[in-house]
Amino acid sequence: KDGTEKARRQMLAMCQSDPEILADVLGHFVAMVSGNLKSAKEDRDSDDESDDENDEILYDIQEALSLARRQGVLPAVRIARILAGEGTSQFSSDDAFKDTPQHRTIPLSVALDYVGAVLDESRQEISRLKSEVEEYNQLCNSMEAEVESLLRASQSIPTSQAEQVSPKINIEEMYSKVRMALDDDEKTESK
């Protein structure tokens, strides 16, 4: 729970081996830097040491974000909620803000690399899906045109030709002829 550099490094190392705790670690880092920024505003005396510590924590947040992106276990929306100070739970809760007048949040510049990468990936996925939908639409249109041409071709054939192309076979008549032929063969063999 302490905010030393060694403790933060250990937390990040645990995230690499167990990605499930990444949300908690990220939330803890956000709470730490938010608390430091809040106390610095109240004291009005920000010394270089606390600024350096905040910069180190912000750097650790960037490292945790790059780790989250590589692992892909946390949805981007959940990470955005954690960075906005909404907590580490999977679903946002409006009750969490009733007690705290100010949200615990971090500067956007810390998350800019992560957000930019997520938006680029989303844009590429949207482009890929859009091209697949266009290709599917073209295939459907060509199949629809082919079906229409086949229907027109079948309607333009005169009825006399249609009968010649597919003559009707009387199954019952053929069956009776086969039976009669078999019966005749049996009679000739039995004689």
Side-chain angles (χ1 to χ4, degrees), residues 94-186:
D94 294 334
D95 297 335
F97 299 121
K98 290 182 180 175
D99 298 335
T100 57
Q102 276 190 341
H103 302 298
R104 298 179 306 179
T105 185
I106 61 165
L108 180 61
S109 60
V110 174
L112 204 53
D113 290 338
Y114 174 79
V115 171
V118 168
L119 290 176
D120 286 342
E121 289 172 1
S122 297
R123 187 177 311 117
Q124 289 172 354
E125 181 70 13
I126 288 169
S127 296
R128 184 187 65 78
L129 291 172
K130 188 176 180 181
S131 67
E132 285 181 9
V133 166
E134 288 172 358
E135 181 182 340
Y136 178 73
N137 187 28
Q138 289 174 352
L139 287 172
C140 287
N141 289 339
S142 67
M143 287 197 305
E144 186 176 319
E146 188 175 338
V147 167
E148 285 178 15
S149 69
L150 289 173
L151 285 173
R152 276 188 297 232
S154 69
Q155 291 172 353
S156 66
I157 298 175
T159 55
S160 63
Q161 287 181 345
E163 289 176 5
Q164 290 174 358
V165 172
S166 59
K168 300 213 180 215
I169 300 173
N170 189 345
I171 302 284
E172 293 296 323
E173 184 180 327
M174 284 184 73
Y175 180 68
S176 63
K177 286 180 182 177
V178 169
R179 297 267 310 171
M180 288 170 62
L182 286 175
D183 287 342
D184 288 343
D185 285 344
E186 286 179 11

Side-chain angles (χ1 to χ4, degrees), residues 23-95:
D24 294 328
V25 170
L26 195 56
H28 182 68
F29 288 171
V30 169
M32 285 173 52
V33 78
S34 298
N36 289 351
L37 291 174
K38 183 179 176 184
S39 66
K41 282 183 182 179
E42 290 172 0
D43 292 343
R44 304 260 188 243
D45 298 328
S46 64
D47 55 352
D48 290 335
E49 188 175 310
S50 66
D51 287 342
D52 289 343
E53 183 183 357
N54 284 340
D55 289 342
E56 289 175 3
I57 296 171
L58 291 174
Y59 177 76
D60 289 339
I61 290 174
Q62 286 179 327
E63 194 171 327
L65 289 173
S66 66
L67 182 64
R69 188 167 165 266
R70 280 193 310 267
Q71 291 176 343
V73 283
L74 293 177
V77 172
R78 186 172 176 195
I79 290 175
R81 287 181 177 151
I82 293 170
L83 296 176
E86 288 189 16
T88 60
S89 64
Q90 187 170 358
F91 304 103
S92 67
S93 170
D94 294 334
D95 297 335

